[in-house]
Amino acid sequence: MLAQMVTDVQNELATFLAPELVKYLKNTFHFFELVVSKDEPSIYQVYIGNWWNHRQFATLDVLSITLSIDDKMIGEWQETLKLPTGSNINDIQIREIKQIVDGLQTFLDDETKRNLEVQVLNDQLEQLKENKSGLLGRTDKKAREELENKRDLLLASQQRVPQVKDKLSEHETEMIQLEKEDALRHLELEEILSNFETIDDFIRKVNHCYIDYLSTLLQKK
């Protein structure tokens, strides 16, 4: 009962305090998108940018006026800025996956060729079977074994086609995800560096928002 009362009071207080704080943060960080948690009015997810699939950069606690930031994202930005112009964090991984994808695609592109080869081998085996003498000589037996081995290898390859298609789709999805991550990082950096000189300046401002916000409130009194 008491715990529920405390929760209700906190939620009411958060609902009262949030609009002014959210307004301040939006004015200070124009590229922030703040989304209130469905279950906790005091908690907001903070995203960078308003584009589709934007990433969450921090969590805002309205009651404590604190932003818990994602240190991994900061590290990615700093790493990206150290790279040569036009380069991305995932470039090497994407190239490696691209090589795998090309190999899998080549295998699938040869499917028709393999089917024709199997048909040719079956025709040759049928011709041996219809040997007029009715008996296969040693040379014919060896030729038949070689033809059967070649056909069996081709058939085994053909049986792998569904598995290869799945692998191809899996790697293509992974590659697209990596490319999307790189693109999002560049969008985020573009927004941040359009408003701050450096990433460090931006982080300092974020970490100082508690004091800055309280100072703003005091100045209004």
Side-chain angles (χ1 to χ4, degrees), residues 11 16 37 43-45 47 60 63 68 78 82-83 93 97 103 110 112 117 123 133 172 176 201 203 220:
N11 289 342
F16 174 74
S37 173
I43 301 298
Y44 279 70
Q45 286 83 47
Y47 299 88
L60 168 66
L63 296 178
S68 301
Q78 292 170 333
K82 293 177 183 177
L83 296 172
Q93 195 173 352
I97 296 174
D110 288 342
T112 300
E117 289 178 353
D123 290 343
S133 65
E172 285 178 336
I176 290 171
D201 289 340
I203 299 304
K220 290 181 179 182

Side-chain angles (χ1 to χ4, degrees), residues 4 6 15 27 29 33 35 43 55 66 97 99 122 142 150 152 157 179 197 199 208-209 218:
Q4 185 60 49
V6 171
T15 302
N27 288 335
F29 307 97
E33 286 289 318
V35 180
I43 301 298
R55 298 198 299 171
T66 55
I97 296 174
Q99 290 179 344
N122 282 332
K142 184 178 180 181
K150 288 180 181 179
D152 291 345
S157 293
E179 291 172 343
E197 287 292 326
I199 292 296
H208 211 254
C209 68
L218 290 173

Side-chain angles (χ1 to χ4, degrees), residues 120-142:
V120 169
L121 290 170
N122 282 332
D123 290 343
Q124 291 175 341
L125 286 167
E126 189 64 26
Q127 288 176 3
L128 284 176
K129 185 178 180 182
E130 293 174 356
N131 191 319
K132 291 182 179 180
S133 65
L135 297 173
L136 291 177
R138 182 179 298 177
T139 302
D140 289 340
K141 287 182 178 179
K142 184 178 180 181

Side-chain angles (χ1 to χ4, degrees), residues 16-209:
F16 174 74
L17 295 174
E20 194 69 25
L21 176 56
V22 169
K23 180 181 178 181
Y24 167 80
L25 289 173
K26 286 290 292 179
N27 288 335
T28 306
F29 307 97
H30 305 294
F31 46 87
F32 273 4
E33 286 289 318
L34 293 97
V35 180
V36 64
S37 173
K38 293 181 180 179
D39 302 322
E40 297 182 76
S42 64
I43 301 298
Y44 279 70
Q45 286 83 47
V46 182
Y47 299 88
I48 290 184
N50 59 0
W51 48 77
W52 178 78
N53 215 20
H54 54 189
R55 298 198 299 171
Q56 183 178 348
F57 162 67
T59 300
L60 168 66
D61 188 324
V62 171
L63 296 178
S64 63
I65 317 178
T66 55
L67 277 169
S68 301
I69 60 180
D70 188 334
D71 291 330
K72 181 182 177 182
M73 286 180 68
I74 297 170
E76 290 173 354
W77 295 333
Q78 292 170 333
E79 184 179 350
T80 299
L81 290 173
K82 293 177 183 177
L83 296 172
T85 303
S87 297
N88 300 293
I89 291 177
N90 293 329
D91 280 351
I92 294 177
Q93 195 173 352
I94 289 173
R95 280 198 297 270
E96 291 174 348
I97 296 174
K98 182 68 167 57
Q99 290 179 344
I100 296 173
V101 166
D102 289 345
L104 294 174
Q105 188 60 60
T106 298
F107 175 85
L108 293 176
D109 290 342
D110 288 342
E111 183 177 3
T112 300
K113 179 182 176 183
R114 285 192 297 271
N115 283 331
L116 290 173
E117 289 178 353
V118 168
Q119 184 59 51
V120 169
L121 290 170
N122 282 332
D123 290 343
Q124 291 175 341
L125 286 167
E126 189 64 26
Q127 288 176 3
L128 284 176
K129 185 178 180 182
E130 293 174 356
N131 191 319
K132 291 182 179 180
S133 65
L135 297 173
L136 291 177
R138 182 179 298 177
T139 302
D140 289 340
K141 287 182 178 179
K142 184 178 180 181
R144 180 173 182 173
E145 288 176 357
E146 289 178 352
L147 291 173
E148 287 176 341
N149 288 337
K150 288 180 181 179
R151 183 191 61 183
D152 291 345
L153 286 173
L154 288 169
L155 290 174
S157 293
Q158 291 300 76
Q159 289 176 352
R160 292 179 54 223
V161 167
Q163 179 185 355
V164 171
K165 286 182 177 179
D166 289 341
K167 279 291 182 184
L168 178 63
S169 177
E170 179 183 318
H171 285 303
E172 285 178 336
T173 299
E174 183 182 3
M175 189 163 61
I176 290 171
Q177 178 61 32
L178 291 170
E179 291 172 343
K180 184 173 68 176
E181 289 174 3
D182 285 334
L184 285 173
R185 272 189 286 270
H186 282 288
L187 285 172
E188 292 159 357
L189 282 170
E190 184 177 336
E191 288 289 346
I192 293 170
L193 297 179
S194 294
N195 293 273
F196 295 89
E197 287 292 326
T198 65
I199 292 296
D200 290 338
D201 289 340
F202 165 62
I203 299 304
R204 275 193 292 269
K205 188 66 174 177
V206 170
N207 289 333
H208 211 254
C209 68

